[in-house]
Amino acid sequence: MFPQRLDSPLAYDIAKAMMDGFNRHYRLFRTESARAKHRFETADWHGQQRAQRERIEFYDLRVKEATARLEKEFKAHEQAMDVWQQVKLHYIGLLVDHRQPELAETFFNSVTTKILHRTHFHNDFIFVRPAVSTEYIENDEPAARPTYRAYYPTRDTLGETLVRIVDNFQLQKPFEDLPRDAGYVLAAIGARLTQVTLRANFQIQVLSSLFFRNKGAYVVGKIINGFNEVPFALPILHGKAGERLVIDACLFGEDELQALFSFARAYFMVDMEIPSAYVQFLRSLMPRKPRNEIYNALGLAKQGKTLFYRDFLYHLKHSSDKFRIAPGIKGMVMLVFDLPSFPYVFKLIKDWYPPPKDTTREQIKGKYLLVKQHDRVGRMADTLEYSEVAFSRDRFEDGLIDEIRKFAPSQLEIGDRDGDGREEVVIKHLYIERRMIPLNIYLQEAFDAGLAGAADPTRAVHAKEQIEQAVLEYGNAIKDLVAANIFPGDMLWKNFGVTRHGKVVFYDYDEIEYITDCNFRKVPAPRNEEDEMSGEIWYSVGPRDVFPETFAPFLLGNPAVREVFMKHHADLLDAGFWQTHKERIAAGYVHDVFPYERDKRFGSMAVPA
C-alpha cells in the first residue's frame, strides 16, 4: 500500500482536471438526451436516430480529451506512483456531494488505465469497488426537478390525475384528445383495481423525465396500494395524421416493462440529474433485471460494462464450473464459449474463415459497431465489448483452450503476467451477450417432444404450439429487422435465439447489411432446358444481390415448419416484399416497431362512455 498523503498540489490538479473532463462529458450527454423532447415534438425521426448514434461515441471522445489534457499539462505518464495514489484520494474528495459519483469513478478508471501501463498498474490507483454511496442522493437546489413525482388520487379523481400526470411533462405538441386517452388508461387500471380496496397509501409515482426512443415517448411509473406495487408505462406517439399526440397503450407488470427495457432494444434518451436514483426506481419495477442492463438501457453503457464486470468477477469467486465450448452448431466466423452457471456467452472473432466466407476482422468489428449504434427494435442482442480480459487458467476446459489455439491463436495469451505464480488466460478481444436458446435447438427439442408425445396428445399439442410460436416469432423478427433497414444476411435458424420471454432475437452479425444497400431480385427464368436441369447458377449474381425465393430450401425442409411459415410469412420469399420496404426506407420513411403486442394498442378500442 502506498502512503496516504494529501499534500501534493500536483495530485490535486490532476484529480481536478480529471473531474472537469467527466463533468464536461455528463453535461454534453445530458444536453443531447434533453434535446430528444424537441425532436419528438417535431417528429424529427432521422435526427433522433442520428443523435442515438452520436451519443454512443461521447464517452470515448471525452476520455481521449481528458487523457490528452493530462499528458499535455502534467506529463501524467511520468508521474511517480505515490502521486497517482494521492490523485485517487483527492478525486474521492471531489466526489463528496457529486450527483453522478458512480459515473465519475468509472470515468476516472477509464482515463487512468489509458495513462498507466499495465506493468505499473495497481488496484490502489482505480475504483475496484465504489468509494462513494449512491443512496439517497438528492438535488437540493430550489428549482430542481425531483427524481419522481407522487400523486394521491381517489377512485373518483383518478382520471383527472392521469391527465395531470401527462400535462406535467409539458409536451409542446397537443394531444388529439387527452381526456379520451386518460379514459382508456383509467379503464385498464380499473380492470386491475376492481374489487380492490384503496389503502391509505394509494398513490401513483412517476419518474419526472420522459423516456424517448425511436418514435415514442414513455411515461414510466408505478401504482402503489398497500403492500402491492404495479409497474406501468404509457407510450405516447404521434397520431395517424401526425399532427397530434395519443397515448397508445398501457403496459403493466414486470414482464411488460422488461420487454420495454430489453437488452435487444436501442438505448433511451432520458434527461437525468441523478442517474443512480433512476436506476434504483427502475429496479423497484424490474427487480430481476441486473443493474448493468438498466444503466445500458439509459445510454450509460460504460457504467453498464463496469457493473457487469464487477458482477462477473463476483460470480467467478462464488462458482467452480469451467468455461466450455458453447452448445450448438459452431460458427464459421465467431468462436463462442460460455460458463454454464453464468447467463451470458463470450464470442471472439476467429483468425481465419473457410469458404465461402470472405471477410476480415475489421469488417466484422464494424458490423458489431453498426448494431451497437443502430435501432435494434427488440430483435438484435446488445453486446458488451472488452479487450485484454484475464481469466484463471484452471477455469478453462482443455478442449476450449485447444479450440482457441486452433481457430484464434492471435487472440490468446497464456502465462503468469503478474509474476504471482498464477497462470492466466488472456483474451485479446471479445464480445459478451445474453445467453439465449439457439432457435435450431429450440425447434429440435419441440420436434423431439412431438415424436415422444405420439402417445400423449397433450404433450404433442404443446410441442406443435411451440413450433408454431417459434416460427411465427422468427418471421416477425425478420420483418422487424426489415423495418429497421437491416438485412440479416445469414437467416439460418442457428443464428437466432429464443429469450426467456419467448422472443426470437438475431445474434450473428457478420453478414448483416442495410436493406437499402441490397439488390433484391427474382430468380430469372431458365433460358433453355440445359439451364433448367443444371445444378449450377446460370445467371449473373452481384455482390449485393439477394434472391429471397432461394431461402426456402435452407429454411423449410421440415413440413411442420413449412406449413406455419407459408401461412404467416410467405411474403419473405418474395423479392417484391423486400424491394417495397427498401423503396420506402430510401424515401425517408421510418417504420413503427412497437415494444409491446399490437393488441395492447388503444386504437382498436371504442371510446369509453
Side-chain angles (χ1 to χ4, degrees):
M1 176 67 102
F2 294 100
Q4 296 197 17
R5 299 180 292 118
L6 291 176
D7 56 1
S8 169
L10 173 63
Y12 176 81
D13 290 344
I14 293 174
K16 182 65 168 60
M18 220 180 299
M19 182 61 76
D20 289 345
F22 169 75
N23 289 339
R24 168 174 160 75
H25 159 66
Y26 196 72
R27 183 172 62 252
L28 293 172
F29 177 91
R30 190 176 175 194
T31 298
E32 192 60 76
S33 300
R35 287 175 180 157
K37 180 173 182 286
H38 178 70
R39 291 190 291 266
F40 172 76
E41 291 164 341
T42 58
D44 181 10
W45 310 132
H46 292 289
Q48 201 81 299
Q49 292 174 338
R50 185 169 56 252
Q52 287 277 165
R53 291 193 300 271
E54 292 174 353
R55 192 184 65 167
I56 290 171
E57 304 299 320
F58 279 14
Y59 186 87
D60 288 341
L61 291 174
R62 301 294 87 77
V63 168
K64 288 178 182 177
E65 288 175 5
T67 303
R69 179 186 173 189
L70 294 184
E71 290 291 4
K72 180 180 179 181
E73 296 184 15
F74 307 104
K75 292 186 169 48
H77 74 283
E78 298 179 4
Q79 299 305 320
M81 295 300 101
D82 62 339
V83 171
W84 278 104
Q85 175 69 0
Q86 292 178 58
V87 169
K88 179 182 176 183
L89 295 174
H90 279 297
Y91 198 83
I92 292 172
L94 295 172
L95 291 175
V96 176
D97 295 330
H98 201 285
R99 297 189 182 105
Q100 305 94 32
E102 79 283 21
L103 308 186
E105 288 176 355
T106 293
F107 189 85
F108 180 95
N109 288 354
S110 297
V111 174
T112 302
T113 53
K114 284 279 186 185
I115 293 170
L116 296 182
H117 192 274
R118 195 184 190 285
T119 54
H120 298 110
F121 194 74
H122 196 286
N123 282 348
D124 285 345
F125 304 147
I126 65 168
F127 294 94
V128 178
R129 296 186 302 273
V132 177
S133 172
T134 58
E135 296 292 316
Y136 304 112
I137 299 176
E138 290 291 343
N139 186 345
D140 296 324
E141 296 174 7
R145 186 172 57 194
T147 297
Y148 65 88
R149 297 187 177 99
Y151 301 83
Y152 301 90
T154 65
R155 199 179 286 274
D156 291 337
T157 63
L158 187 52
E160 300 167 20
T161 302
L162 291 169
V163 171
R164 183 156 59 94
I165 287 171
V166 176
D167 276 339
N168 281 344
F169 289 107
Q170 299 180 347
L171 288 163
Q172 298 304 299
K173 195 177 187 71
F175 278 76
E176 283 184 6
D177 189 340
L178 184 53
R180 175 202 66 192
D181 293 350
Y184 291 149
V185 177
L186 181 62
I189 293 175
R192 288 183 165 254
L193 296 181
T194 302
Q195 307 299 322
V196 173
T197 300
L198 300 190
R199 302 300 178 184
N201 70 332
F202 178 67
Q203 60 187 283
I204 301 175
Q205 293 181 359
V206 177
L207 285 166
S208 296
S209 291
L210 288 168
F211 288 62
F212 296 96
R213 186 175 64 198
N214 304 337
K215 296 167 72 174
Y218 297 83
V219 179
V220 178
K222 58 185 173 182
I223 301 169
I224 300 174
N225 188 45
F227 296 108
N228 296 317
E229 295 188 2
V230 180
F232 75 92
L234 305 179
I236 300 173
L237 305 179
H238 287 237
K240 291 181 181 178
E243 297 176 0
R244 293 176 178 269
L245 303 176
V246 297
I247 299 176
D248 191 58
C250 186
L251 311 181
F252 280 117
E254 181 181 359
D255 285 350
E256 292 189 359
L257 269 290
Q258 287 262 23
L260 179 62
F261 285 85
S262 168
F263 63 85
R265 296 194 178 275
Y267 309 132
F268 283 105
M269 292 266 187
V270 195
D271 180 16
M272 302 171 291
E273 171 73 9
I274 305 170
S276 60
Y278 272 69
V279 171
Q280 184 172 328
F281 188 98
L282 290 168
R283 283 214 82 193
S284 74
L285 311 182
M286 300 171 286
R288 291 177 295 170
K289 194 165 189 67
R291 282 189 307 150
N292 73 79
E293 289 188 6
I294 297 179
Y295 273 103
N296 286 341
L298 298 174
L300 299 166
K302 186 62 178 181
Q303 189 63 23
K305 284 181 66 175
T306 296
L307 291 176
F308 170 85
Y309 199 63
R310 286 173 179 167
D311 289 345
F312 174 54
L313 293 178
Y314 185 81
H315 180 86
L316 286 176
K317 287 182 179 179
H318 294 82
S319 61
S320 58
D321 52 336
K322 293 189 176 187
F323 291 101
R324 61 176 185 174
I325 300 169
I329 299 173
K330 295 178 181 179
M332 288 192 285
V333 169
M334 306 297 285
L335 191 156
V336 185
F337 62 95
D338 70 355
L339 188 69
S341 63
F342 195 59
Y344 292 84
V345 295
F346 302 77
K347 305 170 68 171
L348 55 92
I349 303 172
K350 293 181 179 180
D351 287 350
W352 54 273
Y353 327 106
K357 291 288 185 181
D358 181 18
T359 186
T360 66
R361 178 177 301 277
E362 290 308 311
Q363 287 175 334
I364 295 166
K365 291 171 74 173
K367 303 289 188 183
Y368 275 77
L369 179 61
L370 183 159
V371 172
K372 172 70 70 175
Q373 297 175 336
H374 200 77
D375 177 8
R376 293 187 295 280
V377 296
R379 298 300 188 175
M380 291 189 286
D382 193 13
T383 55
L384 299 172
E385 185 177 6
Y386 290 89
S387 300
E388 299 289 333
V389 183
F391 307 87
S392 176
R393 170 63 182 87
D394 62 12
R395 295 300 296 270
F396 276 68
E397 292 184 352
D398 292 340
L400 173 56
I401 294 294
D402 293 342
E403 190 87 353
I404 299 174
R405 280 190 174 129
K406 179 178 180 181
F407 293 105
S410 72
Q411 300 302 298
L412 179 67
E413 178 184 320
I414 300 178
D416 179 7
R417 296 206 309 176
D418 294 326
D420 58 4
R422 293 186 301 111
E423 193 173 40
E424 287 184 322
V425 171
V426 177
I427 304 296
K428 298 293 186 181
H429 178 264
L430 57 75
Y431 297 100
I432 302 175
E433 290 176 1
R434 264 282 183 177
R435 181 163 56 205
M436 293 171 272
I437 304 173
L439 183 54
N440 62 306
I441 293 178
Y442 186 87
L443 285 170
Q444 188 60 54
E445 289 174 351
F447 299 148
D448 294 344
L451 292 174
D456 182 350
T458 302
R459 189 175 179 186
V461 168
H462 179 73
K464 185 173 185 293
E465 290 174 349
Q466 184 174 325
I467 294 168
E468 290 177 352
Q469 181 60 26
V471 175
L472 179 63
E473 261 291 288
Y474 167 80
N476 289 340
I478 293 174
K479 289 176 177 177
D480 285 346
L481 292 172
V482 171
N485 194 21
I486 291 291
F487 175 60
D490 191 343
M491 291 166 53
L492 294 176
W493 307 101
K494 70 182 180 67
N495 296 325
F496 293 76
V498 183
T499 70
R500 179 167 60 88
H501 298 289
K503 298 288 286 186
V504 169
V505 174
F506 183 57
Y507 53 56
D508 190 333
Y509 305 141
D510 59 277
E511 290 191 14
I512 65 170
E513 301 284 353
Y514 290 118
I515 292 287
T516 46
D517 287 342
C518 297
N519 181 28
F520 297 97
R521 296 173 54 190
K522 183 175 176 60
V523 173
R527 296 164 300 184
N528 49 47
E529 186 176 347
E530 184 178 331
D531 283 351
E532 192 168 3
M533 300 301 293
S534 173
E536 302 295 326
I537 294 176
W538 65 87
Y539 47 89
S540 63
V541 179
R544 296 287 178 87
D545 284 353
V546 179
F547 300 87
E549 63 199 274
T550 64
F551 300 162
F554 299 99
L555 300 176
L556 308 180
N558 185 287
V561 168
R562 182 179 184 84
E563 179 184 355
V564 179
F565 187 93
M566 295 306 293
K567 178 180 178 181
H568 297 283
H569 298 304
D571 48 355
L572 291 175
L573 305 179
D574 178 11
F577 167 86
W578 299 84
Q579 193 63 38
T580 298
H581 279 275
K582 174 182 175 178
E583 290 167 359
R584 293 191 75 188
I585 294 167
Y589 183 77
V590 177
H591 288 267
D592 291 296
V593 181
F594 302 102
Y596 44 92
E597 299 300 328
R598 291 185 177 272
D599 61 8
K600 293 279 182 187
R601 304 187 66 194
F602 292 147
S604 60
M605 295 174 59
V607 177

